[in-house]
Amino acid sequence: MNEELHFIIDSTEELMAAAITHLEKEFRNIRAGKASPAMLGSVTVDYYGTQTPLAQVANVSTMDAHTITVQPWEKKMLHEIEKAIMIANLGFNPMNNGDIVIINVPVLTEERRKELSKQAKAAAEYAKVSIRNDRREAMNEIKKGDASEDMKSNAEIDIQKLTDKFILEVDEHYKIKDQEIMKV
């Protein structure tokens, strides 16, 4: 197989792997029962006029299975951190005691579990769409190429095998996350 086709297949595989990585990141932001610092991974704080990830302005940790604590490195950031957590719309009600921000993570209700499962399903579907788009673009590139028809056909088969492999991986990730969410 010629270099151009190898390049198309390799770059498509990288793009599909990136879709899986993105899905894993999305799943880390969907909480499944117990408190985790990763739940606040998407929160950004206004730090002297610059939107900065929470982890870069404070120490985020868990006290127990239902409590997250955020200890800012500068006390004057307490209010900004509280505000950022509220703006992030994660369903948390932060409180501060003058030193740290405390977030009580409520126990998930059945309704909330179903909602989170739908959110996880949507993220999985988005990843599948991304993978299929990568396949479509690769197929178009292969058709444009100047390789023989047999080589093009073999490359298309390889791209389809990659697509099937990554779609299956998305389904497995979703199945595991859904079980984690629905476990009481």
Side-chain angles (χ1 to χ4, degrees), residues 27 30 111-126 174 178 181-182:
F27 279 177
I30 299 174
E111 183 180 316
R112 182 71 176 140
R113 286 180 194 281
K114 288 179 182 173
E115 194 178 303
L116 290 173
S117 179
K118 284 181 188 175
Q119 191 178 342
K121 181 75 172 170
E125 286 304 316
Y126 182 81
Y174 170 70
D178 191 52
I181 290 169
M182 296 312 251

Side-chain angles (χ1 to χ4, degrees), residues 40-52:
L40 301 177
S42 63
V43 176
T44 58
V45 179
D46 182 15
Y47 186 67
Y48 298 107
T50 304
Q51 288 300 314
T52 308

Side-chain angles (χ1 to χ4, degrees), residues 50-70:
T50 304
Q51 288 300 314
T52 308
L54 179 61
Q56 292 181 11
V57 298
N59 184 24
V60 182
S61 60
T62 53
M63 280 177 53
D64 56 48
H66 297 289
T67 310
I68 300 173
T69 58
V70 182

Side-chain angles (χ1 to χ4, degrees), residues 50-92:
T50 304
Q51 288 300 314
T52 308
L54 179 61
Q56 292 181 11
V57 298
N59 184 24
V60 182
S61 60
T62 53
M63 280 177 53
D64 56 48
H66 297 289
T67 310
I68 300 173
T69 58
V70 182
Q71 184 165 15
W73 294 320
E74 298 176 33
K75 279 209 185 296
K76 59 186 170 188
M77 291 302 298
L78 272 173
H79 178 68
E80 286 297 328
I81 290 171
E82 264 187 304
K83 190 168 119 183
I85 293 169
M86 294 297 281
I87 291 171
N89 198 20
L90 299 172
F92 298 139

